[in-house]
């Protein structure tokens, strides 16, 4: 105990100096408590107030995110600042990921009440808003985690919030089953990852990825044992990314969860997991003496298999949410292409691609909510003949699906061009066969995605049904939201610098 006393002043000074760089997370903590207390004070009548507080608080957090950029420049830490004993790393990449996450979170907070099935919950939505803010705080930590301990804790925080959100409508059998499956798969992946972390700590004697003896220690250990440990850690990260082979939970959970929760799970944790993967890979890539586990080879193979499995499985789906679940797996594999490049261009391409993917995916699921509200339509075949009866929502649905496919002139097309360009520029230099295979697979699976995305416009406008249910809910808010998302997708497709200038 006495041996630790000399280190206490330095630890206190490090903590105090880290606080100015941690203000968005402090604001999120205060916002979480504020929404929670509001719910406790006003009960079921607090829904609207909790939603307003959560939305306004997230806008304030976005403003604090931007202030962090200038703070890094003013303090002379352009390359990044380690926080709290090198547990976290704040740099421009992390800030960009946080900006995307906070913007999408603010949008989705508004969407929760638009789902009639979720809104009919006897407990109301106040609890869901506090869980959502807690989830945003957790994904913030994921974007900055650079210590194996902070990585594990951040993933667990996100997982706990996700479990609660998936099973929020626990009175329905399907939602309860989805929540249980998610917990079981999450617990298994968590245990596997923790075992991998313990092996890495045993080999290297440190949990810090950027300093200490971790990487030199791994170089001296048995290569097969190190490869096993790193593979186990990748499984834990891959659970959040939902790449093959840890993707089995996605279809059932996405279909069983309330649609706004599906939109949340398919965007925020996935985007944060990509930031975490980049942080995890960086020390191994830039450690000159590292010649062990070949991350480029492994991630290339995973990316190829994930693109093929996700897109071909989506073709067979009849349920809209299940189809979008498999398509999100395919998008994960596509984004891995740019991660494999290991350069700033690839990272910028990933950020842009994930931003426009998140926007389009939220739009698609919001419009799926519209048709579920109006006509209880969950399957693609139940969309027959609805295009002319609900033209605004149907046209918006087609636009967001065009973006998800990656067709001109949508933002999704621009994002895919950026990813292909980053991979091709690296391929020109080293002529790596796996990069070529990634590009070929990405192009072919983009064509395959047309076969399942086109099913929705086909049923909306080209197929007819004699019996149409009467609309019992117009959900005009969803239509206005769909128009906003569609216009934004087209604008970002024509002028991608609108988003690039903000990041």
């Amino acid at each position: 105990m006495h041996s630790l006393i000399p280190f206490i002043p330095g630890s206190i000074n490090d903590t105090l100096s880290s606080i100015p760089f941690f203000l968005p997370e402090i604001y999120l903590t205060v916002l979480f408590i504020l929404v929670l207390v509001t719910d406790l004070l006003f009960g079921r009548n607090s829904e609207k107030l909790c939603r307003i507080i959560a939305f306004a608080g997230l806008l304030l957090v976005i403003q604090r995110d931007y202030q962090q950029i200038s703070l890094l420049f003013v303090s002379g830490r352009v390359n990044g600042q380690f926080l709290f004993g090198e547990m976290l790393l704040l740099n421009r990449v992390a800030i960009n990921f946080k900006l995307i996450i906070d913007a999408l979170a603010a949008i989705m907070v508004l969407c929760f009440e638009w789902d009639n099935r979720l809104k009919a919950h006897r407990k109301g939505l106040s609890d869901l808003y506090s869980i959502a803010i807690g989830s945003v705080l957790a994904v913030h930590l994921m974007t900055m985690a650079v210590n194996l301990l902070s990585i594990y804790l951040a993933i667990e925080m996100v997982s706990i919030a996700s479990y609660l959100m998936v099973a929020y409508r626990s009175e329905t059998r399907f939602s309860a089953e989805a929540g249980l499956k998610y917990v079981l798969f999450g617990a298994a992946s968590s245990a596997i990852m923790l075992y991998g972390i313990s092996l890495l700590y045993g080999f290297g004697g440190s949990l810090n990825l950027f300093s200490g003896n971790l990487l030199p220690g791994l170089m001296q250990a048995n290569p097969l044992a190190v490869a096993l440990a790193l593979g186990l850690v990748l499984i834990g990260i891959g659970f959040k990314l939902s790449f093959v082979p840890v993707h089995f939970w996605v279809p059932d959970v996405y279909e069983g969860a309330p649609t706004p929760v599906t939109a949340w799970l398919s965007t925020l944790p996935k985007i944060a997991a990509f930031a975490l993967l980049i942080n995890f890979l960086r020390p191994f890539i830039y450690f000159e003496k590292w010649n062990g586990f070949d991350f480029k080879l492994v991630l290339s193979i995973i990316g190829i298999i994930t693109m093929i499995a996700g897109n071909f499985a989506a073709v067979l789906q009849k349920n809209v949410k299940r189809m979008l679940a498999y398509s999100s797996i395919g998008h994960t594999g596509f984004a891995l292409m740019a991660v494999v490049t290991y350069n700033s261009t690839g990272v910028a391409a990933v950020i842009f691609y994930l931003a426009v993917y998140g926007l389009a995916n939220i739009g698609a699921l919001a419009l799926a909510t519209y048709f579920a509200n109006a006509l209880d339509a969950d399957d693609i075949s139940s969309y027959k003949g609805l295009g002319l009866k609900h033209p605004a929502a149907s046209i918006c649905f087609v636009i967001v699906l065009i973006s998800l496919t990656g067709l001109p002139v949508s933002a999704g097309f621009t994002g895919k061009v950026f990813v292909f360009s980053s991979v091709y520029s690296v391929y020109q230099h080293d002529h790596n066969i796996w990069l070529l295979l990634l590009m070929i697979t990405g192009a072919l699976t983009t064509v395959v995605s047309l076969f399942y995305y086109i099913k929705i416009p086909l049923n909306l406008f080209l197929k007819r049904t004699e019996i149409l249910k009467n609309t019992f809910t117009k959900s005009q808010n969803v239509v206005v939201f769909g128009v906003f998302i569609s216009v934004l997708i087209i604008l970002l497709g024509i002028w991608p610098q609108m988003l690039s200038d903000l990041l």
Side-chain angles (χ1 to χ4, degrees):
M1 181 66 182
H2 291 290
S3 61
L4 298 177
I5 293 177
F7 298 99
I8 293 177
S11 298
I12 294 175
N13 290 333
D14 177 70
T15 301
L16 293 176
S17 63
S18 299
I19 290 176
F21 297 92
F22 199 66
L23 284 180
E25 290 69 36
I26 294 175
Y27 274 61
L28 281 170
T29 304
V30 174
L31 180 61
F32 170 76
I33 296 172
L34 187 59
V35 174
L36 191 63
V37 171
T38 303
D39 178 29
L40 293 174
L41 291 177
F42 297 96
R44 185 176 175 85
N45 298 323
S46 65
E47 280 187 23
K48 186 175 182 180
L49 186 57
C50 286
R51 183 171 66 255
I52 293 172
I53 293 173
F55 180 74
L58 286 171
L59 294 181
L60 183 59
V61 171
I62 291 173
Q63 188 259 343
R64 290 296 174 183
D65 288 336
Y66 274 112
Q67 286 187 348
Q68 285 187 314
I69 298 175
S70 59
L71 182 60
L72 287 177
F73 278 97
V74 171
S75 61
R77 310 291 171 83
V78 180
N79 294 326
Q81 170 68 34
F82 286 103
L83 308 178
F84 304 111
E86 299 188 357
M87 297 291 287
L88 305 174
L89 173 62
L90 178 68
N91 55 18
R92 186 60 189 270
V93 173
I95 294 173
N96 288 343
F97 272 106
K98 289 196 293 183
L99 284 169
I100 294 170
I101 287 168
D102 294 340
L104 294 178
I107 291 173
M108 281 186 282
V109 161
L110 299 177
C111 297
F112 287 153
E113 70 155 355
W114 297 341
D115 185 273
N116 286 349
R117 298 171 185 174
L118 185 58
K119 192 176 181 180
H121 194 316
R122 57 184 176 82
K123 293 189 299 183
L125 299 179
S126 301
D127 290 339
L128 189 59
Y129 292 119
S130 58
I131 296 170
I133 298 302
S135 177
V136 175
L137 173 60
V139 294
H140 265 232
L141 297 178
M142 279 182 68
T143 62
M144 299 187 292
V146 291
N147 184 290
L148 292 176
L149 180 59
S150 61
I151 287 173
Y152 178 75
L153 292 176
I155 289 178
E156 285 304 290
M157 284 181 65
V158 173
S159 296
I160 291 171
S162 300
Y163 301 154
L164 294 173
M165 295 178 81
V166 170
Y168 195 76
R169 292 176 64 237
S170 55
E171 73 280 1
T172 64
R173 180 191 61 82
F174 206 13
S175 182
E177 181 183 345
L180 180 60
K181 286 182 178 180
Y182 194 23
V183 170
L184 293 176
F185 278 112
S189 69
S190 176
I192 291 171
M193 183 180 186
L194 190 58
Y195 183 58
I197 289 174
S198 66
L199 288 176
L200 292 178
Y201 179 70
F203 295 146
S206 174
L207 294 172
N208 195 319
L209 291 172
F210 283 83
S211 63
N213 194 50
L214 179 60
L215 267 63
L218 295 180
M219 291 289 294
Q220 299 174 9
N222 185 292
L224 290 177
V226 172
L228 173 64
L230 291 172
L232 295 178
V233 175
L234 280 179
I235 286 177
I237 300 174
F239 177 77
K240 289 302 175 193
L241 287 172
S242 66
F243 60 54
V244 176
V246 284
H247 68 292
F248 296 106
W249 60 275
V250 174
D252 291 336
V253 172
Y254 280 22
E255 184 181 1
T259 305
V261 173
T262 301
W264 188 281
L265 293 179
S266 62
T267 51
L268 300 196
K270 186 188 291 285
I271 292 171
F274 271 103
L276 180 60
L277 179 62
I278 292 169
N279 286 340
F280 180 74
L281 294 177
R282 185 176 287 116
F284 294 97
I285 303 308
Y286 292 106
F287 187 62
E288 296 180 356
K289 298 180 181 179
W290 180 258
N291 57 3
F293 192 79
D294 192 345
F295 285 101
K296 179 174 285 190
L297 173 62
V298 172
L299 291 177
S300 295
I301 295 173
I302 290 174
I304 291 171
I305 297 174
T306 301
M307 282 189 280
I308 293 173
N311 285 284
F312 277 91
V315 175
L316 305 175
Q317 305 308 311
K318 298 179 180 179
N319 182 276
V320 176
K321 287 169 65 178
R322 200 171 182 88
M323 182 199 76
L324 291 173
Y326 277 109
S327 78
S328 74
I329 295 172
H331 283 285
T332 296
F334 193 89
L336 281 174
M337 289 174 58
V339 175
V340 171
T341 60
Y342 301 145
N343 59 27
S344 58
T345 304
V347 172
V350 167
I351 292 173
F352 185 92
Y353 182 79
L354 292 175
V356 297
Y357 157 75
L359 199 63
N361 203 55
I362 292 170
L365 286 164
L367 290 163
T369 298
Y370 174 86
F371 287 106
N373 287 346
L375 298 143
D376 203 26
D378 292 318
D379 292 338
I380 298 173
S381 59
S382 59
Y383 285 10
K384 288 181 179 179
L386 299 181
L388 298 178
K389 191 170 185 179
H390 304 274
S394 299
I395 292 171
C396 291
F397 212 155
V398 172
I399 292 173
V400 296
L401 291 175
I402 285 174
S403 182
L404 287 172
T405 307
L407 299 178
V409 291
S410 66
F413 172 76
T414 307
K416 289 199 171 188
V417 169
F418 286 166
V419 172
F420 276 122
S421 298
S422 65
V423 177
Y424 184 69
S425 63
V426 176
Y427 173 74
Q428 284 183 309
H429 287 89
D430 57 17
H431 297 285
N432 187 298
I433 185 64
W434 289 106
L435 294 180
L436 179 61
L437 291 175
L438 277 170
M439 289 188 289
I440 293 173
T441 306
L444 291 177
T445 51
T446 297
V447 175
V448 171
S449 68
L450 277 171
F451 287 90
Y452 58 84
Y453 283 133
I454 203 172
K455 289 181 181 179
I456 292 178
L458 183 67
N459 281 275
L460 284 173
F461 293 103
L462 299 182
K463 291 190 176 182
R464 295 287 182 268
T465 182
E466 295 181 359
I467 302 174
L468 281 177
K469 298 179 182 178
N470 292 324
T471 302
F472 60 87
T473 304
K474 292 185 177 180
S475 301
Q476 292 301 324
N477 288 337
V478 183
V479 176
V480 173
F481 178 75
V483 171
F484 170 75
I485 294 290
S486 301
V487 171
L488 195 55
I489 284 172
I490 294 173
L491 290 177
L492 290 176
I494 300 174
W495 295 289
Q497 64 271 18
M498 287 175 57
L499 179 59
S500 302
D501 292 342
L502 294 175
L503 300 175

